[in-house]
Amino acid sequence: MIQENLKKVLKEIPAGVKLVAVSKMNTIERIQEAYDAGQRVFGENRVQELMPKFEALPKDIEWHLIGHLQTNKVKSIAPFVSMIHSIDSEKLLFEVNRQARKAERSINVLLQFHVAQEDTKFGFTVEEAEEMFAQIKMSNLTNVVISGVMAMASNVDSQDQIRKEFQKVKEIFAHFKKKYFLEDENFKEISMGMSGDYQLAIKEGSTIVRVGSKIFK
Ligand SMILES: *Cc1c(COP(=O)(O)O)cnc(C)c1O
């Protein structure tokens, strides 16, 4: 079943768009099933849930942390995590850099932006991110690669509303690309789109989709 779901989802994803299979709340056995079907990139939203899965599953899995991250939890994932999608403060960005340096590696990170109408969702506003860029010295960020932006659209039925939010994310990406990362080829990712809206997200310029329930239903 998982294998078939995965095939269906992959068929709708063009080359150049990366699929993160969101495995939260799924057992190690079920993740192994997706792995056996060829999937190598998985996303989890909680560190406590990610740790035992990392320990138990094959080591060539590329793990992405996609949920809100507390600074005191960075240390445990820094030795292996491939990308953190949910950087939402300067403090967190610098803690990831510090722990990556300790682990003698480099971690890809995305800046999460708040574009949804619900205020339960995390992320920078454009103004907050601007404030951060005004303050920080990029050359101090030796062990993180700022690779782009991430956002979640509102949980609504209106395709119009969701499309507008995705367009906003694309504009935010373009704004920061132009202002701070024009010469930096690493800043290229837009992580947006989940089970209910990834086709629309891809149309609007997503480069990474995070799909859970449609694969693991
Ligand atoms: C759970 C989750 C997803 C996947 O959601 P589905 O609707 O199950 O595809 C994507 N992104 C984040 C941040 C999540 O927490």
Side-chain angles (χ1 to χ4, degrees):
M1 205 49 197
I2 288 174
Q3 186 169 353
E4 279 164 38
N5 299 341
L6 188 58
K7 251 193 208 156
K8 256 190 227 161
V9 170
L10 279 168
K11 246 192 212 157
E12 294 171 329
I13 297 179
V17 174
K18 181 175 234 175
L19 170 64
V20 177
V22 178
S23 50
K24 67 183 184 207
M25 298 185 304
N26 280 280
T27 60
I28 285 159
E29 289 69 30
R30 285 168 66 78
I31 302 171
Q32 181 72 49
E33 229 182 285
Y35 178 92
D36 292 338
Q39 181 66 21
R40 291 294 179 272
V41 185
F42 291 91
E44 287 283 336
N45 65 344
R46 294 174 65 234
V47 171
Q48 300 97 299
E49 202 178 328
L50 170 54
M51 292 312 292
K53 290 176 176 176
F54 164 72
E55 301 289 345
L57 284 156
K59 290 298 173 282
D60 63 340
I61 287 179
E62 192 184 295
W63 287 106
H64 289 221
L65 199 285
I66 61 172
H68 182 63
L69 178 59
Q70 289 170 295
T71 47
N72 63 356
K73 303 267 169 66
V74 175
K75 190 182 162 85
S76 30
I77 59 170
F80 68 91
V81 75
S82 169
M83 180 175 268
I84 297 173
H85 291 227
S86 43
I87 301 295
D88 58 3
S89 72
E90 178 182 333
K91 187 174 159 218
L92 180 59
L93 180 60
F94 277 83
E95 179 59 11
V96 172
N97 184 66
R98 195 170 81 88
Q99 295 297 343
R101 189 189 303 136
K102 273 193 179 174
E104 296 181 1
R105 56 193 298 271
S106 175
I107 298 175
N108 300 308
V109 300
L110 302 176
L111 305 176
Q112 180 172 0
F113 283 89
H114 186 277
V115 296
Q117 59 188 12
E118 302 105 331
D119 48 87
T120 47
K121 283 169 184 156
F122 293 99
F124 288 106
T125 62
V126 169
E127 293 72 30
E128 287 165 351
E130 283 290 5
E131 227 171 273
M132 178 177 82
F133 279 115
Q135 278 174 35
I136 65 175
K137 240 182 117 188
M138 294 263 235
S139 57
N140 288 336
L141 291 168
T142 49
N143 293 66
V144 291
V145 178
I146 302 180
S147 307
V149 303
M150 178 272 215
M152 286 169 91
S154 297
N155 187 15
V156 294
D157 288 330
S158 164
Q159 295 294 294
D160 243 32
Q161 162 106 19
I162 297 171
R163 182 182 297 109
K164 276 183 192 138
E165 290 175 1
F166 286 154
Q167 287 169 348
K168 179 88 202 286
V169 180
K170 179 100 196 254
E171 280 169 27
I172 290 170
F173 169 82
H175 170 80
F176 285 96
K177 176 77 187 169
K178 192 172 168 198
K179 201 157 170 191
Y180 301 102
F181 297 97
L182 208 50
E183 313 274 274
D184 183 351
E185 66 203 21
N186 294 311
F187 192 89
K188 59 174 194 285
E189 307 292 359
I190 302 178
S191 169
M192 61 184 186
M194 319 194 334
S195 289
D197 55 24
Y198 66 92
Q199 288 109 329
L200 183 51
I202 290 168
K203 282 200 195 101
E204 299 303 334
S206 174
T207 67
I208 303 177
V209 291
R210 311 177 307 268
V211 180
S213 44
K214 190 143 186 203
I215 297 169
F216 292 102
K217 64 186 163 201

